[in-house]
Amino acid sequence: MHWSLMPTPRGMSRRHFMQHAMGAASMASAAFAMGNSVRVHAQELKRQGKAAILLWMSGGPATIDLWDLKPGAPTGGPFRPINTSGDVQICEHLPTIAKQMHNLTVVRSMSTREADHARGRYYMHTGYVPNPNIEHPSYGAVISHELMRDEFSLEIPPFISIGGASEGPGFLGMSWAPFNVSSDGQIRNLEMGLSDQRLMQRMFTLQVIENGFVAQNRGSAAVDHQKVLKKTFDLITSQQMKAFDVKSEPDSAKALYGDTGFGRGCLLARRLVEAGVPFVEVELGGWDNHQNIHTTLQNQKLPELDQAMGGLMIDLEQRGLLEKTVVIWMGEFGRTPTINGNAGRDHWAKSWSVVLGGGGIRTGIAIGETDDEGRAVVSTPYTAEDLMTSVCKALGISLETTFQSKNGRPMKIAGGGKLIEGIFA
Amino acid sequence: MESWGVGETWGVDHQRLARGAIRNLSYFALACLVVLTPPLVAADRRATQNTIPQVELINNALQSQWDAYGLTPAPDEEDQKWCRRVFLDLIGRIPSRGETQEFVADKGDRRRNLVVRLLNDDEYAAEFANHWATIWSNLLIGRSGGNDRNSMVSRAGMNKYLRDSFATNKPYNQMVFELLTASGTTEPGTDDFNGATNFLIDKVNMENGTLATSSTSRIFLGLQVQCTQCHNHPFNEWKQQKFWEFNAFFRQTRALRRFVPGTREIAYGQLIDQDFAGDGGQPQEAEIYYEERNGLTRIAYPVFVDGTEIGRNGYVGEVNRRRELAKLLLTSEYLDRMIVNRMWAHFLGYGFTRPLDDLGPHNTPSHPELLNSLGSELRNSSYDLRMLMMWITLSKPYQLSSRINSKNESDDPSLGEAPQFSHFYIRQMSAEQLYQSLVLVGGEMDGSLEQQQQERDRWLSQFVVAFGTDEGDEATTFNGSIPQALMMFNGELARRATRSSGNGWLGQVLANPTSFSEKVNLLFQAGLSRSPTRDELGIASNLLRARDGKVIEALEDLWWAVLNSNEFILVQ
């Protein structure tokens, strides 16, 4: 019997249970003799380590209208730039973020090649272009995998995606898959409606069937299933689940982030990072603005983004989390400098911006520049690999890290990118 | 909404179907000389011969590559497990205990007999048609197709068309022709209803039908052209010009919104062909313009992928472009290879190429000659899909065990190697297969067929994540991750299946006048198609003790564990 995949011991009653369980002769009787609660009182452990929050702008935002304005140019659009608390100007419709720009840096010299949604999403999330023979791990999988190496106290998933699907764990395996929740923190099917004891006995029975099947050597899917079961069991019995209870936040916190889905998502992200989750992604969709882009941005997207992201930066700083937490703002690509016949902008990967902050990154500046109309990068161009490499560095992850893909091929972390120059002091 | 499910009386309207087919397909009936041999009879006749040549073809091709790679194929799978496999693959659910027993008791060629039965017996006709209609709906309109407020797709309409097609064993080329040339409305019960319109209805209006272009070439021909919309692809023989030439075939086609009376809410859509004046305003030479990356504007006319040009006239009465496209598409060998590759991947877990819908010359198949010859065989068999299903399910690789041993462990396509099919590759059930299987073993809900259909759709929709882009990208969370495990632990469906209401499935097991261990045996047979091991029997009696001898509670616990196991959810 392989009991190694049973729940990690993390409190007296479960450890007690496990010791009995591992004695082969007594395995069954121990399981049924146990009457104590499995809901152990795990001590409140605050992560000492670092974390990352990715604000994912699904659809490809027009960074030329947000972070790299071209007032007066034919491509410029109607928005005006304003001064900020940093040495950089941004869009007038982002006034809250403008006051936080001393904690943020705009990289204006992103130049990538993938301008299709699916390919761009994959590339920006993994640092690799899609390849039919291999699935690469995404930011959340890579970062939680690396930051969780010596971390045994976290019982909830280390990679949480709020309000969107994120990208998968690739060859790191399903146990590093994103855990998807909605922005109100509700998790479906969580309540068992069973006594702890009966739940434990069911789990035990399940484990016997699972092990029997794994022993038949029919492939890795059987083992993956077992790992996910363990994580699920950890989750439903964990005290740390209260981190998802975003409703318990005071009204002042909700007001700070704004009463929007993305606002609640950012607030939830802060709670999760505080609870020790190393990677959280929050999605804000609706940036695929092929028509009437400026009306949509001014009336809908920018106010929602401004308050939520601005609120997040304020909150992280006030709670002393900013030094440890890297914030990344990006989409799958930018949008065309040329405004099309429908008053929209189309997909554009050649010259666009991302925003970074926290985690010891040098902030309050803009790195790189585009030409007068925003059509080309005129400084050193940066790629998804370079961005991911820089984020890993900020999190203290070794850039020498190499993964073994399933077929034994070595894969460099972050696609072997280079550091964005000037981003570290 | 259309009723469906067991007991539905599809198939009674053969005459109407036949009339519809002839009306839509005079081209077919006249030019193509499709012999509408009753396919069921043909399948039966072939099956009673000793060997099926196409099965030999597969076996020989696989064997020679096993020899070349030094692989020893796994022994055949145990009969009961194989029975579970073929039920899941052909009709979309696990077998009942009685069905398994009947299979095992067959003293003849039981595997062949079972395949023939699942393909042809009236008993399974509704489930067979529903299963394949679901698969093809997901392929043609996506799992989220029709869910969006702005969508003109009717899922019910798509399903109805596909159910009828699979129920009558419509030749595949005829189905493709209908899907490409359909006009009419999308919603059943409306005037001029034609369910086949649902494939294109949401794909022709936006961005000049680029989605119709890329979907048609990818789904039916295995040619991936979406990237060449904007630029010549560096790793692909397709050029931007070819994309727009293909696109030009769709420019006469429009999707019209039909609203709920008195509102601006979309009720359904109507697909029509109308005269196309061309971007240059000259209908006799109806050209389209597209822009190269360097800003140059270029011209394209309808030209098929093999270089065949059709008339440039934009008047539908002169040249019906979609119809011309469909005719050309049916002559292409890519059509044959794509459907063979798709079907092979359905049954064996991997196609001959990866991804399975990329057959371009840059992507060499694992078994190129077999793919070609199976394509020709299908064409020569009047595109009878049940025939193809039979060839594959009776072939050697489909018989093999999923147990991996030292002689074939190097054959592991999850490592990125080309699959050699020397053992069966286990894979997770689809959400639909899981649902239908749970319904069989206690998860059924009360209510009308319509309510059950709605319940099923609602249940399935919980796993779909739409990305909200113009391309309709989507993902599924039914991927073996924690939310799925939670759903199996605690979800409503799983609760229904593991609760012992009086006349429910577990209640029946309880009422069975047998010993506790025989009841345990029944659960394992029903869920996992095997008897419990000694360990499992032991833990079952421990459960009974822990539940103070309450048999029903012990059975609930045990059944919960069976349904949550890797062994249950994996197709082996």
Side-chain angles (χ1 to χ4, degrees), chain A residues 1 27-29 31-32 58-59 113-119 121 129 132-134 157 164-167 174 177-180 187-195 197-199 201-226 228-229 231-233 235-236 283 285-286 288 290-291 332 335 346-347 349 405-409, chain B residues 77-78 81 85 206-207 226-227 231 233-235 293 354-355 363 401-405 409 412-417 423-428 462-463 465-471 473 475 477 479-492 495 498 524 528 530 533 535-536 538-540 542-543 546-547 552-554 556-558 560-562 564-567 569-570 572:
Chain A
M1 289 280 158
M27 80 92 178
S29 58
F32 296 94
S58 179
R113 282 174 40 172
E114 301 297 341
D116 165 84
H117 289 292
R119 294 180 63 90
R121 185 187 308 119
V129 293
N133 290 319
I134 188 163
S166 186
E167 280 284 332
M174 280 318 287
F179 181 65
N180 300 303
I187 296 163
R188 267 188 289 214
N189 303 322
L190 204 57
E191 281 309 311
M192 285 295 279
L194 287 178
S195 71
Q197 190 185 4
R198 197 169 174 195
L199 168 62
Q201 289 158 353
R202 282 189 177 190
M203 287 303 294
F204 215 98
T205 311
L206 174 54
Q207 200 63 30
V208 171
I209 302 175
E210 291 262 324
N211 286 339
F213 189 67
V214 167
Q216 293 176 13
N217 193 24
R218 292 179 189 265
S220 57
V223 183
D224 282 347
H225 186 270
Q226 215 173 19
V228 170
L229 275 189
K231 289 196 172 229
T232 307
F233 183 74
L235 186 83
I236 58 181
E283 176 168 321
D288 196 15
H290 290 282
Q291 299 97 21
E332 53 264 49
R335 304 198 79 80
D346 303 317
H347 304 177
S405 73
K406 279 188 179 172
N407 61 0
R409 221 174 343 152
Chain B
E77 187 58 88
E78 299 152 38
K81 276 195 185 295
R85 176 192 298 176
M206 285 224 287
E207 297 188 41
Q226 56 274 20
C227 294
H231 54 91
H233 202 281
F235 315 116
R293 267 202 157 175
R354 241 189 288 187
N363 199 12
S401 171
S402 53
R403 284 180 194 255
I404 301 165
N405 62 42
E409 65 187 355
D412 185 353
S414 75
L415 303 185
E417 308 295 326
H423 54 90
F424 192 79
Y425 308 127
I426 59 171
R427 55 182 184 264
Q428 188 183 269
Q462 71 182 304
F463 302 113
V465 185
F467 288 118
T469 57
D470 286 353
E471 282 84 345
D473 301 309
T477 58
N479 56 3
S481 58
I482 293 173
Q484 183 193 316
L486 281 172
M487 180 277 297
M488 287 300 290
F489 273 26
N490 296 323
E492 185 52 36
R495 278 180 195 223
T498 54
F524 275 82
L528 307 175
R530 65 168 174 86
T533 63
D535 277 352
E536 288 160 348
I539 204 141
N542 281 335
L543 276 172
R547 299 281 79 79
I552 188 62
E553 288 187 9
E556 282 176 355
D557 291 344
L558 192 62
W560 181 93
V562 166
N564 272 287
S565 68
N566 44 14
E567 189 170 353
I569 197 133
L570 293 168
Q572 309 147 29

Side-chain angles (χ1 to χ4, degrees), chain A residues 116 122 135 143 182 208 265 271 325 339 351 356 378:
Chain A
D116 165 84
Y122 186 95
E135 286 177 32
I143 289 172
S182 60
V208 171
R271 285 181 66 88
T325 310
I339 297 168
S351 51
L356 295 171
V378 295

Side-chain angles (χ1 to χ4, degrees), chain A residues 47 49-57 103-104 125 139-140 143-144 147 158-162 166 257 262-284 305 308-317 319-331 354-359 361 387 391-392 394-395 397:
Chain A
R47 279 184 59 79
K50 293 197 167 187
I53 298 174
L54 168 59
L55 305 177
W56 177 253
M57 304 294 117
N103 282 328
L104 291 165
H125 269 97
Y139 264 89
I143 289 172
S144 54
L147 295 186
F159 172 11
I160 294 174
S161 175
I162 302 170
S166 186
Y257 286 80
F262 186 60
R264 283 185 293 278
C266 286
L267 175 54
L268 177 55
R270 190 270 292 158
R271 285 181 66 88
L272 291 169
V273 165
E274 211 166 28
V277 176
F279 188 89
V280 186
E281 177 166 335
V282 194
E283 176 168 321
L284 177 59
L305 171 68
M309 184 175 173
L312 176 66
M313 296 307 295
I314 294 168
D315 207 9
L316 287 176
E317 185 168 36
R319 289 168 186 267
L321 291 168
L322 199 52
E323 273 305 296
K324 299 180 198 163
T325 310
V326 178
V327 177
I328 310 132
W329 179 101
M330 66 171 169
V354 299
V355 179
L356 295 171
I361 282 171
L387 178 64
V391 168
C392 285
L395 291 167
I397 297 169

Side-chain angles (χ1 to χ4, degrees), chain B residues 112-130:
Chain B
R112 182 139 90 182
N113 295 345
L114 178 59
V115 167
V116 170
R117 214 159 51 238
L118 290 173
L119 287 175
N120 299 335
D121 267 18
D122 286 349
E123 184 186 353
Y124 296 113
E127 287 183 289
F128 175 87
N130 284 333

Side-chain angles (χ1 to χ4, degrees), chain A residues 64 68-77 79 369-375:
Chain A
I64 192 173
D68 188 14
L69 279 70
K70 302 293 174 185
T75 55
F79 299 161
E369 60 181 314
T370 54
D371 66 17
D372 291 345
E373 296 188 352
R375 294 184 189 279

